Amino acid sequence: MRDSFPIGSSEGILCQVQDRSIESKAKADMFDRSWAVVCRDSARPVGFVYSSRSTEQDLLARIAPHRSEPVTCLDNQSQAVVDGFRHRECRLAAEPVAYSLMLGEQDGTTYVAEGLAAYDSATLLALKSILNDSIVEGKIDVASTSIEDPFAFARVQAATLKPFQALSEGYRRNLSGDYAEAAAFFETLQQRTSGMEGEDINPREYLINRALQKSNLGEFGEAKNLFEQADAIGDSDPITERLQRNFETIDLLNQGRFDAAITRINTPLETTRAEQAALAERLEITVPVSSRINGSAQTRSLLGFVDETRLSPQERAEIIDAQALQLLGTAQRLNGESDAARTSFISAYNRAIAVRDGRVTSITRLRAQTLAELSLIAEADGNIGQARDYLRDGLDLLSVQYPETRAVNAAKARLAAFLLRNDSESEARTLYEEVVDSSLGKQRAITGMSNQLAPYFALLAKDGAATDQFFKASQILVRPGVAETQAVLSRELSGGTDEAARLFRQSTNLTRSIEKLRIRFSALGRVEQTAQIRAQRATLADEIEALERNQQLTQVRLSEFPQYRAISDRFLSLDDLRATMQPSESYMRMSIIGGDIFMFYADQSAAEIYPVALDDAALGAKVDTIRDSISVLENGQYVTYPFDIETARSLFVDLFGPVADRLAGKTHLIFEPDGAMLRLPINLLVADDASVETYLARTETIDGDPFDFAGVKWLGKGLDISTAVSARAFADARKAPQSDAGRQYLGMGRNEPVLANTKVASVRGAAPNGSAQCQWPLGQWNSPISDRELKMARTLIGTDSSALLTGAAFTDNAILSNENISDYRILHFATHGLVTPPSPSCPAKPALLTSFGEGESDGLLAFDEIFDLKLDADVIILSACDTAGKASIAATREAGISSGGGTALDGLVRSFIGAGGRSVLASHWPAPDDFRATERLINGLFSDGRGRSITEALRLSQTELMDDPVTSHPFYWAGFALIGDGARLFLPGENNASVSLEISPAPARTALK
């Protein structure tokens, strides 16, 4: 049996078994082997399996001291469970929680399996697998709060092992291509061991390995920060220095910065040792496991080497030399030197397999990658049969060593792409379908193989009957982190009872709290370990342990609710999507893969796929051109130019032209954007050529106003538009129940100034140029947004079912401590949005500006704090600047969220959904107060929104601004987008309200030249 293996079924792997054999000098105190059962969403192991040659009584006596808390067993008759094993009912001594013991003997070895009774299905499956010495599939019936978060799951696994064992597991996951899990292992290890004494640990090694995994995941900014932290440690270890040089080189190669990579490779080392002379002179490329070849004796035996024996220095050097030759061959192939490259690759392969006759597990990826490179050369030379054989051999190697992993899927995708290029479409389709089926429901499952999968999407797009397959395959593509948060909220809302939902929310909040404390614990480990620091770390460790215990017990109680024990399907079928839609609706999904763009259209009776003529880079350029004509920061001021109507029309044709006739017959479009379109609302795209011609002709006249776009046929003028972040999230959101809140509206804004010289704000954003210390200047609080918008909304709704929180009462403390905030189904913030960091060197940690309160108040309702709110809202209105923006990955992790970040919609939108908001109305650029544009837009929702859907109310309000020449520029009306199900009712009752707003005189507008 392997040291670590998954348990569950192909439909859902919820738990993992980790070898945690306890070693001791005293033979009498040693178990032969022991395993921990760890499950997704539980902060601690849920069960354990022990084996020993001793008697059952002796084994139980040895186990007792290792339990985290005492167990009391009932005096009842034990029952058979499997293969002669018996089950005994027990309880935790300190809590009324059921605990199980499963005892028995096989082949002269005594086994004890024990754990929380709520997880009996997992513990029993682990026992069966260990007894059979092979992975036994079966259903695990446990509570689950997350959707699929391998990062968080890996963190729990890493926390159950000794540091050197967890480090080894991290390397294994890197070799199998599971980079997110590998990153989790290295990060957890760093948090656990920072400042730890008496361990064979090199913190710099953790940092550079984390950096490499981040780079492999495409998170290059995070990788750079981690490499810089490693530099700051500055140890004199020559191996670690070489590793950092190698990993930084790989990072540059991942970014396509080949010249910079070559420069980094050739940077002289600062430290040298005579004993390192046998190592390869050029260590340009390696994989993390190569570092362990040169690591401590403690870890060398845990890398899967045959018989766990140590490699000699000569053998280690041979493997590194082989990797160096592989790099040389790659460079030669890219330079067109095929013959020289072939020689280098063959030499690399032969040298690698010469070590222990190739029985070194860690060289499997090296061999497979070398074969893949040889295949490319053979294919270029026309040797198709030989090229195919190379790829098949590489796939066979990986399938044996790393079955059911991303590395195997990558090899399958590579072979499928080759077969498709060489007229073997049927076999290629089969392999691609296997990759898709294996990747569904797994985050980042196709990282690094997008280019190999792009031909499959292109093939399906050409096949008019492949809409179902295309829609299924599109669900393996990476989506913003907010998609996961929205899916988790939908699971919470499906609870059906107040107690179920409360326990669900409690578990997710405890998980976030644990993550935040771990980060603090790690940070304290990186400073000088004084007595005071050690005491603080000890206190934090106790707090973390208490929270972990509480979180696990919460999961146990959650298991009483069957709806949380069900595992949702790994994907949403096209029929499932259609079942959620109305006849007047259409769903469009944008997919970018390998730089290619595909559009998918579906309604209740039709579906269509088509490629977009633009590539990802060209799309980004068009989006930037349009955004720069709306609002751009120049010389410290936001400037608006005449809208680029021609580019907006061109982009409509590119993206929606093939289905324009279909859209004309619909009233509601649900759009799932990707890439650059996450930063641009589609309502401002121009739906006909006549609008462009009329506008251009009018501006050519003497008195033509280039800012007058009245009469333009915008896409959003005839269609209600919702933004979806994934098909699954949309379908779940549509099924979620309406808010049970008893009151309609809570409006918040108009912060209290901190100085006397208050001035009126013209844009609801942050002043550019904050401090280099990442603190906003106090002057930011001296431009409060008027509360007219809030007062008018309350008047329109009615004072009996609404409330306002403004002025000195509008503090972050007041909002966070408001126990009645869940009583409101519409929350409306009219304040400054602080989204762009105070300076470029600061992380993006978005916040809403509030008044200053007492105590720890900082006058900001921040991204991480919003998650802690307990909301029950159908709509969150963020009437502020750039609220559809992102939070950095670092800020996301600091908030206790282990995935996503760094993408549009992953900031304030995600935090309010995580707090309980079904949908969020957020802005893509500064919200203008010129002509009271934003005030009129938002109040228009309330004046004409009764009995209407959210998106219909929004469209009607936007139309009034579109038709007014002074606010017809998209800057004034197009910035707000609804993320969520826009078909939900905005306000109950008949639409009979009316409002008259006083409009300020329009200031002169001049386009900058």
Side-chain angles (χ1 to χ4, degrees), residues 20 100 106 110 143 153-154 156 243 267 299 327 372 447 456 462 467 600 609 637 892:
R20 62 193 303 271
S100 294
Q106 180 174 290
T110 301
F153 189 16
V156 177
L243 290 173
T267 301
T299 56
L327 170 66
T447 299
Y456 180 54
K462 293 177 182 177
T467 52
F600 174 85
I609 320 161
Q637 298 292 327
T892 303

Side-chain angles (χ1 to χ4, degrees), residues 764-780:
R764 301 183 187 190
N769 306 326
S771 73
Q773 288 74 39
C774 301
Q775 299 294 324
W776 295 101
L778 282 179
Q780 185 66 60

Side-chain angles (χ1 to χ4, degrees), residues 205-246:
E205 182 176 359
Y206 292 161
L207 286 168
I208 60 177
N209 273 287
R210 282 179 59 196
L212 180 61
Q213 305 313 319
K214 294 295 185 183
S215 177
N216 288 337
L217 293 169
E219 298 172 5
F220 302 123
E222 290 289 293
K224 179 182 178 181
N225 291 337
L226 290 166
F227 280 131
E228 289 174 352
Q229 291 179 37
D231 276 333
I233 293 176
D235 63 45
S236 58
D237 180 64
I239 297 302
T240 308
E241 184 188 7
R242 288 174 181 268
L243 290 173
Q244 182 160 351
R245 181 194 64 180
N246 300 340

Side-chain angles (χ1 to χ4, degrees), residues 158 161 164-176 178-179 181-186 189 209 213 288:
L161 298 173
F164 68 88
Q165 289 177 309
L167 186 62
S168 173
E169 286 297 324
Y171 287 125
R172 284 196 180 104
R173 277 158 174 76
N174 176 74
L175 287 172
S176 66
D178 297 317
Y179 302 130
E181 294 185 35
F185 269 86
F186 293 124
L189 279 168
N209 273 287
Q213 305 313 319

Side-chain angles (χ1 to χ4, degrees), residues 249-270:
T249 299
I250 297 172
D251 173 50
L252 293 167
L253 291 172
N254 285 341
Q255 298 177 60
R257 300 171 57 190
F258 304 121
D259 290 341
I262 292 172
T263 300
R264 182 67 183 100
I265 289 170
N266 293 319
T267 301
L269 298 174
E270 295 181 2

Side-chain angles (χ1 to χ4, degrees), residues 56-115:
E56 183 178 291
Q57 185 176 358
D58 287 343
L59 180 55
L60 286 172
R62 292 190 205 133
I63 291 172
H66 294 282
R67 293 179 180 134
S68 59
E69 51 193 299
V71 170
T72 302
C73 293
L74 307 178
D75 295 328
N76 61 347
Q77 186 68 31
S78 59
Q79 300 176 351
V81 288
V82 58
D83 295 336
F85 278 68
R86 307 177 315 282
H87 176 268
R88 291 183 62 186
E89 296 181 9
C90 307
R91 285 191 175 277
L92 297 181
E95 295 279 349
V97 175
Y99 199 83
S100 294
L101 281 180
M102 304 173 197
L103 311 97
E105 181 180 326
Q106 180 174 290
D107 298 329
T109 298
T110 301
Y111 292 88
V112 172
E114 65 173 23

Side-chain angles (χ1 to χ4, degrees), residues 755-833:
L755 298 174
N757 56 333
T758 304
K759 62 181 180 180
V760 176
S762 61
V763 166
R764 301 183 187 190
N769 306 326
S771 73
Q773 288 74 39
C774 301
Q775 299 294 324
W776 295 101
L778 282 179
Q780 185 66 60
W781 277 258
N782 289 323
S783 301
I785 301 299
S786 169
D787 58 4
R788 289 190 306 268
E789 177 181 315
L790 302 172
K791 290 178 177 178
M792 180 60 70
R794 189 185 188 200
T795 299
L796 291 166
I797 289 176
T799 56
D800 291 342
S801 61
S802 60
L804 296 183
L805 194 66
T806 60
F810 172 53
T811 69
D812 50 330
N813 288 350
I815 296 170
L816 293 169
S817 62
N818 187 345
E819 296 180 356
N820 299 319
I821 198 168
S822 61
D823 292 343
Y824 299 92
R825 59 174 298 272
I826 300 175
L827 298 185
H828 177 186
F829 291 87
T831 186
H832 291 291

